[in-house]
Amino acid sequence: MRIRVFRVPSPEAARHLARLADRSRVLFDGEAAAVAARALAEIRRGGDRALSRWRKKQDGAAGRLRGSAGRPRVSAEFRGAFEHSVSRLTAFHSLQRNDGARLRIAGSLIEERVLPLDSVGVYIPGGEAPYVSTALMTILPAQIAGVPRIAAATPPSAWDGSPELRWAVRRLGVTEVYRMGGAHAIAALAVGTQSVAPVAKIVGPGNRFVTAAKRLVSGIVGIDGLAGPTEVAILADDSADPERVAADLLAQAEHDVSAAAMLVTTSAGLADRVQRALAGRLADLPARGRAAKSLERYGAIAVAASVAEAAAYLEEFAPEHLGIQTRRSLEHAALFRRAGAVFAGEASAEVFGDYVAGTNHVLPTNATGRFASALSVRDFVRRMPVVSLSRRDGQALSRSAQVWARVEGLPAHGEAARLRAAGVSR
């Protein structure tokens, strides 16, 4: 199998970026939007009865809504890997905590208080497989932030079929679990039913129906973002190992037929070697059908004349994951501002970021790295300003405030300020 190869910059390179943009538009297709709107309307109106109908139809699940973890048995090997990930994620995410800001000026106190959200819904996808790592990546930062109520939703097949998922959620201390997946799960968490109390924010990736529902309820609740198909791009020079590059590309291609995997290199020789390595590795991959279709539809190898040209092209792409395998990888990482996460150096496989490096794997896709960031502790708090002015400071600020009020044509504003200047009401 060979994937498309082109030079950067070129018309074909531009067309490939357009193809990737078109791939992401399925997130907002009419079918998904209509399903999400119907689920929200029916669950808002009918509560548990409507949710039960949706669960039977979409999840194939009757019976209990709440999931019980019980005492699942998992291997010692998995427990060890999980605890390793917990320790790394805790160490890194704990650094993201912020105690706010305090300013004392003219006898006044101005501060910003950082407050944990009172409730969060975490969506754990379970289409192709139960994503146990997503449970960890969404629950742990919320706990570090101090969120007192965390509700998890995941498809019944994922919850019932994965002892690792049940063990992980139990280990993290989350007891509010709902066996529901898809648009109706997002709707129930957003507006609530008799059995599901609404939450303040919903986080976690999902399929196009989940994404359409998150888009619809944004504003009713907070959301972390709108997740699209996964993406990886690798910047490499002739020092890169073609087998490692091919392995990293396939690690994303095996996720989904809509996944995008791209190599941009300054070495035509490496481009050829990676092509051969991909073909060899694909033949032995259990998910080769899915990965091959992904590479055929959205894979690419681009050859650039310089690292600067390669970086400019990749900045347009703004990939979810960016691997840099060059002689000066950390130096070249400074060329990028839009990637969801950067993995610099040949030892820094993107898969470590998925599980155990310490950073979060819930990342911006669809070029939303232009304005969005990785999920973090900051996503589970809100900031509230508190102003406590001294009488002297209130008097000093009054004149400027009255000027502003006149300019904006708001006389009641001006009067409220004037009364502070006088110090008494008259």
Side-chain angles (χ1 to χ4, degrees):
M1 186 215 72
R2 294 185 65 83
I3 61 177
R4 61 181 56 82
V5 180
F6 47 77
R7 292 210 161 261
V8 171
S10 69
E12 176 58 21
R15 284 193 293 271
H16 187 65
L17 289 183
R19 184 180 298 113
L20 296 180
D22 286 340
R23 168 192 69 126
S24 298
R25 292 194 182 112
V26 301
L27 294 174
F28 313 116
D29 67 43
E31 180 192 11
V35 168
R38 192 163 64 251
L40 181 62
E42 292 181 8
I43 290 169
R44 191 199 294 269
R45 184 171 59 248
D48 277 350
R49 291 181 65 182
L51 178 58
S52 178
R53 290 194 301 270
W54 277 88
R55 290 180 65 235
K56 289 176 183 176
K57 180 181 177 182
Q58 301 295 334
D59 294 329
R64 69 189 189 281
L65 172 62
R66 291 289 289 261
S68 173
R71 293 185 176 275
R73 298 181 65 180
V74 297
S75 68
E77 185 179 42
F78 171 72
R79 292 197 302 270
F82 188 88
E83 297 301 340
H84 193 189
S85 295
V86 166
S87 66
R88 294 280 295 220
L89 265 80
T90 300
F92 184 72
H93 284 70
S94 293
L95 299 175
Q96 298 168 349
R97 286 185 294 210
N98 187 325
D99 294 328
R102 293 170 62 89
L103 173 65
R104 291 198 175 274
I105 182 171
S108 299
L109 173 63
I110 304 171
E111 62 179 322
E112 179 184 77
R113 296 179 182 174
V114 179
L115 308 168
L117 301 182
D118 56 18
S119 56
V120 169
V122 300
Y123 187 82
I124 306 166
E128 298 291 344
Y131 283 93
V132 184
S133 58
T134 298
L136 176 59
M137 296 284 171
T138 52
I139 292 170
L140 192 62
Q143 292 177 327
I144 292 171
V147 177
R149 176 186 163 226
I150 301 172
T154 193
S157 58
W159 182 254
D160 298 344
S162 174
E164 289 81 9
L165 177 57
R166 298 194 303 276
W167 184 92
V169 171
R170 185 176 187 273
R171 158 64 180 80
L172 293 169
V174 173
T175 58
E176 187 178 348
V177 179
Y178 298 100
R179 297 170 63 253
M180 56 184 183
H184 53 289
I186 302 302
L189 289 170
V191 301
T193 72
Q194 292 87 344
S195 299
V196 182
V199 298
K201 187 169 187 176
I202 299 171
V203 304
N207 64 19
R208 61 194 179 103
F209 297 100
V210 168
T211 300
K214 286 175 70 177
R215 188 185 194 197
L216 190 62
V217 302
S218 176
I220 301 174
V221 295
I223 64 169
D224 54 340
L226 301 174
T230 191
E231 307 158 344
V232 67
I234 296 175
L235 169 63
D237 60 18
D238 60 0
S239 69
D241 179 342
E243 294 294 338
R244 291 183 178 181
V245 171
D248 289 350
L249 293 173
L250 286 172
Q252 293 306 305
E254 74 174 349
H255 268 293
D256 187 333
V257 295
S258 294
M262 184 194 314
L263 165 66
V264 182
T265 178
T266 54
S267 168
L270 179 70
D272 290 339
R273 291 191 292 275
V274 169
Q275 281 272 28
R276 292 194 294 273
L278 279 172
R281 288 181 170 274
L282 194 59
D284 298 326
L285 192 68
R288 59 183 172 274
R290 187 164 61 240
K293 190 168 185 180
S294 164
L295 291 172
E296 180 184 351
R297 296 170 72 190
Y298 301 116
I301 295 177
V303 180
S306 66
V307 168
E309 285 190 345
Y313 183 68
L314 289 169
E315 277 286 87
E316 283 191 71
F317 180 22
E320 177 188 14
H321 308 96
L322 173 65
I324 303 178
Q325 299 184 30
T326 63
R327 290 182 178 84
R328 305 198 308 275
S329 58
L330 200 55
E331 177 184 328
H332 290 150
L335 298 173
F336 297 94
R337 296 172 58 85
R338 295 180 172 184
V342 175
F343 301 85
E346 66 173 5
S348 305
E350 181 277 323
V351 69
F352 295 149
D354 284 344
Y355 301 124
V356 73
T359 53
N360 205 286
H361 82 196
V362 181
L363 298 169
T365 60
N366 310 322
T368 57
R370 294 173 293 115
F371 56 82
S373 306
L375 192 71
S376 76
V377 172
R378 304 176 192 97
D379 289 287
F380 299 98
V381 300
R382 59 178 299 273
R383 293 167 297 281
M384 183 176 73
V386 176
V387 177
S388 178
L389 299 182
S390 66
R391 177 171 293 185
R392 176 168 60 89
D393 199 23
Q395 292 172 341
L397 298 178
S398 173
R399 183 176 297 278
S400 290
Q402 290 179 69
V403 172
W404 277 109
R406 284 197 300 274
V407 168
E408 296 189 347
L410 299 169
H413 280 58
E415 179 63 7
R418 186 193 68 77
L419 291 175
R420 268 61 181 193
V424 294
S425 298
R426 35 181 144 105

